[in-house]
Amino acid sequence: MPVYTLPELPYDYSALAPVISPEIIELHHDKHHAAYVKGANDTLEQLAEARDKERWAALNGLEKTLAFHLSGHILHSIYWANMTGDGGGEPLAADGVGDLADAITESFGSFAGFKAQLTKASATTQGSGWGVLAYEPLSGRLIVEQVYDHQGNIGQGSVPILVFDAWEHAFYLQYRNQKVDFIEAMWAVVNWQDVARRLEAARSRADVLLLAP
Protein backbone atom coordinates (compact mmCIF):
# COMPACT_ATOMS: atom_id res chain seq x y z
CA MET A 1 0.00 0.00 0.00
CA PRO A 2 1.23 3.53 -0.71
CA VAL A 3 2.44 5.58 2.23
CA TYR A 4 2.53 9.32 2.66
CA THR A 5 5.82 11.13 2.16
CA LEU A 6 7.04 14.58 3.13
CA PRO A 7 7.25 16.77 0.01
CA GLU A 8 10.39 18.77 -0.58
CA LEU A 9 10.10 22.53 -0.24
CA PRO A 10 9.91 24.31 -3.61
CA TYR A 11 12.43 26.90 -2.33
CA ASP A 12 15.17 27.21 0.27
CA TYR A 13 14.55 28.10 3.90
CA SER A 14 15.33 31.79 3.37
CA ALA A 15 13.14 32.30 0.29
CA LEU A 16 10.17 33.81 2.15
CA ALA A 17 12.13 36.16 4.41
CA PRO A 18 11.43 38.62 5.89
CA VAL A 19 7.75 37.55 5.96
CA ILE A 20 8.67 34.12 7.36
CA SER A 21 12.10 33.54 8.83
CA PRO A 22 14.34 30.65 7.72
CA GLU A 23 14.21 29.20 11.23
CA ILE A 24 10.43 28.96 11.16
CA ILE A 25 10.38 27.42 7.68
CA GLU A 26 12.89 24.76 8.70
CA LEU A 27 11.13 23.84 11.94
CA HIS A 28 7.66 24.01 10.41
CA HIS A 29 8.49 21.81 7.42
CA ASP A 30 11.12 19.43 8.78
CA LYS A 31 9.57 18.87 12.22
CA HIS A 32 5.84 19.74 12.29
CA HIS A 33 4.85 18.68 8.78
CA ALA A 34 7.04 15.59 9.02
CA ALA A 35 5.21 14.64 12.23
CA TYR A 36 1.85 14.70 10.44
CA VAL A 37 3.20 12.46 7.68
CA LYS A 38 4.54 9.97 10.23
CA GLY A 39 1.32 10.16 12.22
CA ALA A 40 -0.81 9.34 9.18
CA ASN A 41 1.39 6.39 8.22
CA ASP A 42 1.52 5.05 11.78
CA THR A 43 -2.26 5.29 12.12
CA LEU A 44 -2.82 3.37 8.89
CA GLU A 45 -0.66 0.58 10.32
CA GLN A 46 -2.65 0.58 13.55
CA LEU A 47 -5.92 0.42 11.61
CA ALA A 48 -4.61 -2.52 9.59
CA GLU A 49 -3.69 -4.30 12.79
CA ALA A 50 -7.15 -3.61 14.26
CA ARG A 51 -8.78 -5.12 11.16
CA ASP A 52 -6.55 -8.19 11.19
CA LYS A 53 -7.20 -8.88 14.85
CA GLU A 54 -10.79 -7.60 14.83
CA ARG A 55 -10.03 -5.34 17.77
CA TRP A 56 -12.33 -2.39 17.36
CA ALA A 57 -12.17 -0.74 20.79
CA ALA A 58 -9.74 1.93 19.57
CA LEU A 59 -11.44 2.52 16.21
CA ASN A 60 -13.06 5.87 17.02
CA GLY A 61 -9.80 7.32 18.26
CA LEU A 62 -7.82 5.96 15.33
CA GLU A 63 -10.24 7.37 12.77
CA LYS A 64 -10.03 10.80 14.38
CA THR A 65 -6.24 10.57 14.53
CA LEU A 66 -6.03 9.62 10.86
CA ALA A 67 -8.21 12.58 9.86
CA PHE A 68 -6.07 14.91 11.96
CA HIS A 69 -2.71 13.82 10.57
CA LEU A 70 -3.84 13.32 6.98
CA SER A 71 -5.55 16.71 6.84
CA GLY A 72 -2.46 18.28 8.38
CA HIS A 73 -0.31 16.69 5.69
CA ILE A 74 -2.58 17.80 2.86
CA LEU A 75 -3.00 21.38 4.08
CA HIS A 76 0.72 21.82 4.67
CA SER A 77 1.54 20.42 1.22
CA ILE A 78 -0.73 23.09 -0.28
CA TYR A 79 0.65 25.75 2.06
CA TRP A 80 4.24 25.43 0.85
CA ALA A 81 3.23 25.60 -2.80
CA ASN A 82 0.89 28.55 -2.13
CA MET A 83 3.87 30.78 -1.26
CA THR A 84 6.75 32.31 -3.19
CA GLY A 85 9.29 35.02 -2.54
CA ASP A 86 8.16 36.69 -5.76
CA GLY A 87 4.47 36.68 -4.86
CA GLY A 88 1.95 38.99 -3.29
CA GLY A 89 -0.16 41.77 -4.63
CA GLU A 90 -3.48 41.07 -6.33
CA PRO A 91 -4.22 38.44 -9.01
CA LEU A 92 -4.47 40.21 -12.36
CA ALA A 93 -5.34 39.20 -15.90
CA ALA A 94 -2.05 40.75 -17.02
CA ASP A 95 -0.23 38.10 -14.99
CA GLY A 96 -2.15 35.24 -16.58
CA VAL A 97 -4.51 34.65 -13.64
CA GLY A 98 -7.55 36.48 -14.94
CA ASP A 99 -9.90 33.53 -14.38
CA LEU A 100 -8.94 33.46 -10.71
CA ALA A 101 -9.40 37.23 -10.41
CA ASP A 102 -12.84 36.98 -12.02
CA ALA A 103 -13.86 34.10 -9.75
CA ILE A 104 -12.86 36.06 -6.66
CA THR A 105 -14.86 39.09 -7.79
CA GLU A 106 -17.91 36.97 -8.66
CA SER A 107 -17.85 35.12 -5.34
CA PHE A 108 -16.91 37.96 -2.95
CA GLY A 109 -17.82 41.17 -4.78
CA SER A 110 -14.24 42.42 -4.89
CA PHE A 111 -10.69 41.38 -4.13
CA ALA A 112 -10.72 43.72 -1.14
CA GLY A 113 -13.80 42.00 0.25
CA PHE A 114 -12.25 38.57 -0.23
CA LYS A 115 -8.96 39.63 1.35
CA ALA A 116 -10.74 41.07 4.38
CA GLN A 117 -12.82 37.90 4.89
CA LEU A 118 -9.93 35.45 4.57
CA THR A 119 -7.75 37.62 6.83
CA LYS A 120 -10.42 37.73 9.53
CA ALA A 121 -11.23 34.02 9.19
CA SER A 122 -7.57 33.13 9.58
CA ALA A 123 -6.80 35.54 12.41
CA THR A 124 -9.89 34.75 14.50
CA THR A 125 -9.82 30.95 14.32
CA GLN A 126 -10.27 29.80 17.90
CA GLY A 127 -7.18 27.97 19.12
CA SER A 128 -5.33 26.26 16.29
CA GLY A 129 -6.51 26.20 12.71
CA TRP A 130 -6.46 27.57 9.20
CA GLY A 131 -8.09 30.12 6.95
CA VAL A 132 -8.92 28.53 3.60
CA LEU A 133 -10.08 29.71 0.19
CA ALA A 134 -11.84 26.75 -1.39
CA TYR A 135 -13.68 25.88 -4.57
CA GLU A 136 -17.16 24.59 -3.73
CA PRO A 137 -18.29 22.29 -6.58
CA LEU A 138 -22.04 22.24 -5.87
CA SER A 139 -22.37 25.98 -6.46
CA GLY A 140 -19.28 26.43 -8.62
CA ARG A 141 -18.19 29.36 -6.47
CA LEU A 142 -15.33 30.15 -4.15
CA ILE A 143 -15.89 30.16 -0.40
CA VAL A 144 -13.81 30.96 2.68
CA GLU A 145 -13.65 28.31 5.36
CA GLN A 146 -12.41 28.59 8.91
CA VAL A 147 -10.80 25.25 9.74
CA TYR A 148 -10.35 24.17 13.33
CA ASP A 149 -7.25 22.05 13.96
CA HIS A 150 -6.75 20.57 10.48
CA GLN A 151 -10.06 18.94 9.71
CA GLY A 152 -13.00 20.50 11.57
CA ASN A 153 -15.74 22.87 10.42
CA ILE A 154 -15.40 22.33 6.67
CA GLY A 155 -17.73 21.46 3.80
CA GLN A 156 -17.39 17.88 2.65
CA GLY A 157 -16.86 18.62 -1.03
CA SER A 158 -14.83 21.82 -1.07
CA VAL A 159 -11.34 21.84 -2.60
CA PRO A 160 -8.77 24.06 -0.83
CA ILE A 161 -6.80 26.26 -3.23
CA LEU A 162 -5.25 28.83 -0.86
CA VAL A 163 -4.49 28.15 2.80
CA PHE A 164 -3.19 30.34 5.62
CA ASP A 165 -1.72 28.42 8.55
CA ALA A 166 -2.84 30.06 11.80
CA TRP A 167 -1.32 27.52 14.19
CA GLU A 168 1.15 29.10 16.61
CA HIS A 169 4.03 27.01 15.30
CA ALA A 170 3.65 28.85 11.96
CA PHE A 171 4.50 32.25 13.38
CA TYR A 172 5.19 32.41 17.13
CA LEU A 173 9.00 32.49 17.02
CA GLN A 174 8.88 35.56 14.79
CA TYR A 175 5.56 37.28 15.50
CA ARG A 176 5.03 36.13 19.11
CA ASN A 177 1.30 36.32 19.87
CA GLN A 178 0.51 38.78 17.07
CA LYS A 179 -1.40 36.42 14.81
CA VAL A 180 -3.06 39.27 12.94
CA ASP A 181 0.32 40.74 11.99
CA PHE A 182 1.43 37.38 10.61
CA ILE A 183 -1.72 36.92 8.53
CA GLU A 184 -1.43 40.42 7.12
CA ALA A 185 2.20 39.76 6.20
CA MET A 186 1.26 36.49 4.47
CA TRP A 187 -0.40 38.38 1.61
CA ALA A 188 3.04 39.51 0.45
CA VAL A 189 4.11 35.95 -0.43
CA VAL A 190 0.94 34.45 -1.97
CA ASN A 191 1.74 32.55 -5.17
CA TRP A 192 -1.26 33.46 -7.33
CA GLN A 193 0.00 31.29 -10.17
CA ASP A 194 -0.27 28.23 -7.93
CA VAL A 195 -3.71 29.27 -6.64
CA ALA A 196 -4.94 29.75 -10.22
CA ARG A 197 -3.67 26.30 -11.23
CA ARG A 198 -5.49 24.74 -8.30
CA LEU A 199 -8.73 26.51 -9.23
CA GLU A 200 -8.44 25.30 -12.82
CA ALA A 201 -7.82 21.73 -11.67
CA ALA A 202 -10.74 21.83 -9.21
CA ARG A 203 -13.10 23.12 -11.90
CA SER A 204 -12.07 20.34 -14.29
CA ARG A 205 -13.16 17.61 -11.88
CA ALA A 206 -16.71 17.22 -13.17
CA ASP A 207 -19.29 15.27 -11.18
CA VAL A 208 -17.00 14.73 -8.21
CA LEU A 209 -19.97 14.85 -5.83
CA LEU A 210 -22.68 12.40 -6.84
CA LEU A 211 -25.58 13.51 -4.65
CA ALA A 212 -28.09 11.29 -6.43
CA PRO A 213 -27.80 8.13 -8.57
Side-chain angles (χ1 to χ4, degrees):
M1 290 190 54
V3 294
Y4 302 108
T5 58
L6 180 68
E8 293 186 5
L9 288 171
Y11 35 71
D12 61 41
Y13 294 139
S14 63
L16 304 179
V19 173
I20 307 179
S21 70
E23 182 183 17
I24 288 180
I25 295 292
E26 182 177 5
L27 288 171
H28 196 167
H29 176 267
D30 296 0
K31 301 298 183 182
H32 290 282
H33 188 173
Y36 300 128
V37 173
K38 184 179 186 302
N41 289 328
D42 289 348
T43 307
L44 286 177
E45 292 181 2
Q46 294 173 55
L47 284 165
E49 182 180 359
R51 289 193 303 273
D52 291 342
K53 297 181 179 180
E54 296 189 0
R55 294 178 178 174
W56 305 114
L59 182 63
N60 287 347
L62 289 173
E63 295 288 6
K64 183 177 181 180
T65 299
L66 179 61
F68 176 82
H69 287 299
L70 180 54
S71 294
H73 172 41
I74 290 170
L75 288 169
H76 279 93
S77 297
I78 298 170
Y79 180 66
W80 306 125
N82 272 171
M83 296 184 290
T84 175
D86 300 322
E90 181 176 345
L92 301 171
D95 297 325
V97 290
D99 287 347
L100 171 63
D102 290 343
I104 288 174
T105 300
E106 291 170 3
S107 297
F108 300 98
S110 66
F111 177 77
F114 153 67
K115 182 179 179 180
Q117 184 176 344
L118 182 55
T119 297
K120 290 294 185 182
S122 304
T124 61
T125 302
Q126 291 180 337
S128 300
W130 299 72
V132 175
L133 173 66
Y135 174 73
E136 199 288 290
L138 289 184
S139 63
R141 63 173 292 149
L142 297 175
I143 61 173
V144 165
E145 295 181 320
Q146 194 177 48
V147 180
Y148 299 115
D149 288 332
H150 297 312
Q151 76 279 21
N153 202 38
I154 59 173
Q156 296 302 312
S158 57
V159 180
I161 64 172
L162 173 63
V163 299
F164 281 6
D165 192 343
W167 282 62
E168 285 191 346
H169 65 238
F171 64 88
Y172 199 85
L173 286 176
Q174 186 174 354
Y175 292 85
R176 302 305 179 189
N177 64 337
Q178 301 302 313
K179 184 189 294 187
V180 174
D181 291 348
F182 170 65
I183 299 302
E184 290 284 359
M186 276 287 298
W187 290 102
V189 294
V190 173
N191 185 345
W192 293 116
Q193 299 291 332
D194 181 71
V195 179
R197 285 192 295 270
R198 293 179 186 279
L199 175 60
E200 181 181 4
R203 282 174 163 172
S204 69
R205 296 168 59 195
D207 299 326
V208 173
L209 291 177
L210 299 178
L211 299 184

